[in-house]
Amino acid sequence: MAESFAFEIAGKLLEKLGSAACERISLAWGVREEFEKLKLTLAAIRAVVLDAEQQQARSLELSLWLQRFKDACYDVDDLIDEFEIQALRRLVLKRGSTGRKVRHFFSGSNPWAFNFRMGYKIKKANEMLNKVAAEKAKFHLTEKHETNVIHRDRETYSFVKTSSVIGRDEAKQHLVNFLMNPTDGEDIPVLPTVGIGGIGKTTLAQLVFNEESVKSHFELRIWVCVTEDFDIKQLMIKIIKSATGMNCKDMNKEELHRVLQDCLNGKRFFLVLDDVWNEDKKKWSELKDLLCGGAQGSRIIITTRSRKVATITGTIPPYDLEHLSYDNCLSLFLKLAFKEGEEKQHDNLVRIGEGIVQKCKGVALAVKTLGSLLCSTRVQHDWELVRDSGLWKLKQEENDILPALKLSYDHLPWYLTQCFAFCSVFPKDLEFNDIFLISLWKANGFLQSPYENEETEDIGKRYLQELLSRSLFHQVEDMPFHSSFKMHDLVHDLALSVVQNEVNSCNH
């Protein structure tokens, strides 16, 4: 997918066109009407850009349309810069002798020549934007304003081959204890399981779901893969289908509520809500109220990448899923890359595999991605290429590690995308403090606030906390006057892939 920052680029350009400085320039050169046309067309296109950015993976034509829009924005930005430079020239230009005035007439500072040239450029910029605006109709885009609902086809299920899971016994026991231990009160206990994408949250939930003691303890076990928009009606349909096998998609909400109550009434149930992104507390409260008909001892486990989701949903502190140990990662890699016992015949590949496993930094899906990638080749050069290449350069299938991690990027609000991608400039494993990073974001114009009096440092701290909450940063040190952060190596690879795709789309 070719990433795009078109929404933010257009936003900054509109801000520039609406500034007092630009207003003075447009009046001084008599181009106010043309600037107003640019603003109106830009705003009309920007209104649908978020939808276009979310859909562009499915359409090369749409991706190219977005690139044409960005190109037009850059042209308008350059045009405004030319006016600003000319305004500065007027202030500092010293007129001398007649000879100097003649030279000035034929120079680039000649106001008549400048007006003629810029008039032509404004006309071309308006024509280009009008063409882009006219083309948007064929894509049937809808207006979106700073929302990030990303619709995808990913669907998880409850089955797991337990023999293929390595190194999660302690985590499994922690969750089983939560399910079995009695608690007081009527509220259904909810345990969120939190961690970076690909670390194994879903696999852990599957292990627990299929544990024999859990099967015998609960009358109902329900597995639901949650949609991004957290649609209550769809969740009710999925819960009923998982619990009973009934297909209720033609029912209205009232009918679904009655069926759900009958389904849960007086039964001790265990519900897994896998891959939750919803950060709207009202929606969560609405769903939880619908689940109140179960018996004492019912339990809910949630998997999520977001600490904010964990805070909203959890009745107890979240369970932070740890990275797999190196030894467990190596065992998993060898199991996937070789047939049983075959690794003993390939000591050279095992040594290379050890280096490959190190770059996975304990993320199970990364190990699976690279182990599966190499299972069909015993050519040493192929293995060395994987070991020595950045993960972001390797071919990725839909369910591999980078596409899985990329969901975290896709869910970022538009104002965080450039802040995150900017961090690709740092070396891997760099520990950076908040003051340093915020100053770089500020220097690059990334810090914007809907609140008029919010200080840029406070905006930067808020952005940092959001990235931390979404498991894209992790905190290394928390001191009285500053905090230190790191990006996981795989998250750094994700940032590199975002930037590389952006560069590639600009070169097409």
Side-chain angles (χ1 to χ4, degrees), residues 15 24 32-33 39 62 131 152-153 167 180 231 292 312 321 328 342 353 377 383 392 436 440 502:
E15 192 178 307
R24 286 194 298 271
R32 186 177 185 181
E33 188 177 337
K39 277 199 292 187
L62 183 56
K131 186 178 178 183
R152 59 183 166 89
D153 300 324
M180 300 299 195
D231 183 275
C292 63
I312 288 167
L321 188 56
N328 283 324
E342 188 191 5
T377 178
W383 284 57
W392 59 280
F436 170 68
L440 291 176
E502 176 69 12

Side-chain angles (χ1 to χ4, degrees), residues 312-454:
I312 288 167
T313 59
T315 59
I316 60 174
Y319 182 72
D320 290 293
L321 188 56
E322 297 290 332
H323 296 88
L324 280 177
S325 70
Y326 171 78
D327 289 340
N328 283 324
C329 283
L330 184 58
S331 297
L332 179 59
F333 176 83
L334 295 177
K335 196 170 187 176
L336 290 163
F338 296 103
K339 293 175 183 175
E340 190 173 352
E342 188 191 5
E343 68 273 13
K344 294 171 185 174
Q345 305 165 29
H346 299 281
D347 289 346
N348 60 325
L349 298 184
V350 171
R351 283 193 298 274
I352 298 167
E354 289 168 355
I356 291 170
V357 167
Q358 284 178 343
K359 72 193 290 177
C360 295
K361 295 293 179 78
V363 175
L365 185 56
V367 177
K368 290 177 182 177
T369 296
L370 300 183
S372 301
L373 185 67
L374 292 169
C375 69
S376 60
T377 178
R378 297 295 173 257
V379 178
Q380 181 168 324
H381 175 71
D382 293 343
W383 284 57
E384 289 171 340
L385 191 64
V386 170
R387 181 195 62 195
D388 300 333
S389 296
L391 190 65
W392 59 280
K393 291 182 179 178
L394 302 175
K395 183 181 178 183
Q396 301 276 313
E397 301 299 331
E398 184 181 356
N399 293 318
D400 286 345
I401 182 61
L402 277 189
L405 283 174
K406 194 179 167 302
L407 283 172
S408 294
Y409 174 80
D410 288 340
H411 280 79
L412 288 178
W414 65 270
Y415 53 83
L416 284 181
T417 55
Q418 285 191 327
C419 292
F420 172 74
F422 176 80
C423 295
S424 66
V425 303
F426 300 135
K428 277 189 178 179
D429 214 34
L430 177 75
E431 190 175 311
F432 47 85
N433 69 53
D434 52 353
I435 298 168
F436 170 68
L437 183 57
I438 290 168
S439 67
L440 291 176
W441 284 346
K442 180 179 177 181
N444 282 276
F446 296 157
L447 303 180
Q448 300 178 38
S449 175
Y451 312 112
E452 189 176 337
N453 297 320
E454 190 174 17

Side-chain angles (χ1 to χ4, degrees), residues 125-390:
N126 264 314
E127 285 176 357
M128 190 172 179
L129 276 174
N130 286 334
K131 186 178 178 183
V132 171
E135 288 173 344
K136 72 182 171 68
K138 66 182 174 184
F139 300 114
H140 307 292
L141 301 168
T142 57
E143 291 191 12
K144 291 186 179 182
H145 301 279
E146 302 177 30
T147 61
N148 260 58
V149 176
I150 313 295
H151 297 284
R152 59 183 166 89
D153 300 324
R154 182 176 184 260
E155 185 75 24
T156 64
Y157 46 84
S158 60
F159 173 76
V160 68
K161 187 179 178 182
T162 54
S163 61
S164 68
V165 183
I166 294 172
R168 289 305 186 197
D169 292 343
E170 185 180 329
K172 183 180 85 169
Q173 193 55 52
H174 181 93
L175 268 63
V176 169
N177 291 343
F178 160 74
L179 295 174
M180 300 299 195
N181 292 343
T183 56
D184 298 323
E186 295 181 7
D187 199 22
I188 305 171
V190 181
L191 174 61
T193 306
V194 184
I196 187 176
I199 201 169
K201 302 179 296 296
T202 297
T203 302
L204 175 60
Q206 289 167 331
L207 270 179
V208 173
F209 195 86
N210 290 286
E211 173 70 18
E212 288 301 325
S213 59
V214 172
K215 286 181 181 180
S216 59
H217 184 74
F218 292 96
E219 295 171 77
L220 274 180
R221 290 176 308 125
I222 304 164
W223 181 281
V224 173
C225 182
V226 181
T227 56
E228 282 85 347
D229 55 359
F230 209 78
D231 183 275
I232 299 298
K233 183 177 178 180
Q234 290 303 314
L235 286 170
M236 291 165 73
I237 291 169
K238 285 188 173 187
I239 291 168
I240 293 166
K241 186 163 187 181
S242 178
T244 68
M246 287 175 59
N247 191 340
C248 303
K249 64 180 181 180
D250 295 326
M251 292 185 182
N252 61 37
K253 266 190 171 183
E254 183 60 33
E255 292 167 332
L256 286 167
H257 178 238
R258 283 199 297 270
V259 173
L260 182 60
Q261 289 305 299
D262 290 343
C263 171
L264 300 179
N265 190 27
K267 295 188 179 77
R268 183 163 59 203
F269 69 84
F270 166 34
L271 170 63
V272 172
L273 294 173
D274 186 40
D275 206 13
V276 178
W277 297 88
N278 169 62
E279 296 182 345
D280 184 340
K281 187 171 177 62
K282 293 195 294 292
K283 283 187 174 183
W284 168 247
S285 299
E286 183 182 351
L287 177 66
K288 196 163 182 200
D289 289 345
L290 293 169
L291 302 172
C292 63
Q296 183 77 16
S298 295
R299 296 287 188 274
I300 300 172
I301 285 178
I302 281 171
T303 71
T304 182
R305 306 180 191 196
S306 167
R307 293 200 168 277
K308 188 172 181 182
V309 170
T311 302
I312 288 167
T313 59
T315 59
I316 60 174
Y319 182 72
D320 290 293
L321 188 56
E322 297 290 332
H323 296 88
L324 280 177
S325 70
Y326 171 78
D327 289 340
N328 283 324
C329 283
L330 184 58
S331 297
L332 179 59
F333 176 83
L334 295 177
K335 196 170 187 176
L336 290 163
F338 296 103
K339 293 175 183 175
E340 190 173 352
E342 188 191 5
E343 68 273 13
K344 294 171 185 174
Q345 305 165 29
H346 299 281
D347 289 346
N348 60 325
L349 298 184
V350 171
R351 283 193 298 274
I352 298 167
E354 289 168 355
I356 291 170
V357 167
Q358 284 178 343
K359 72 193 290 177
C360 295
K361 295 293 179 78
V363 175
L365 185 56
V367 177
K368 290 177 182 177
T369 296
L370 300 183
S372 301
L373 185 67
L374 292 169
C375 69
S376 60
T377 178
R378 297 295 173 257
V379 178
Q380 181 168 324
H381 175 71
D382 293 343
W383 284 57
E384 289 171 340
L385 191 64
V386 170
R387 181 195 62 195
D388 300 333
S389 296

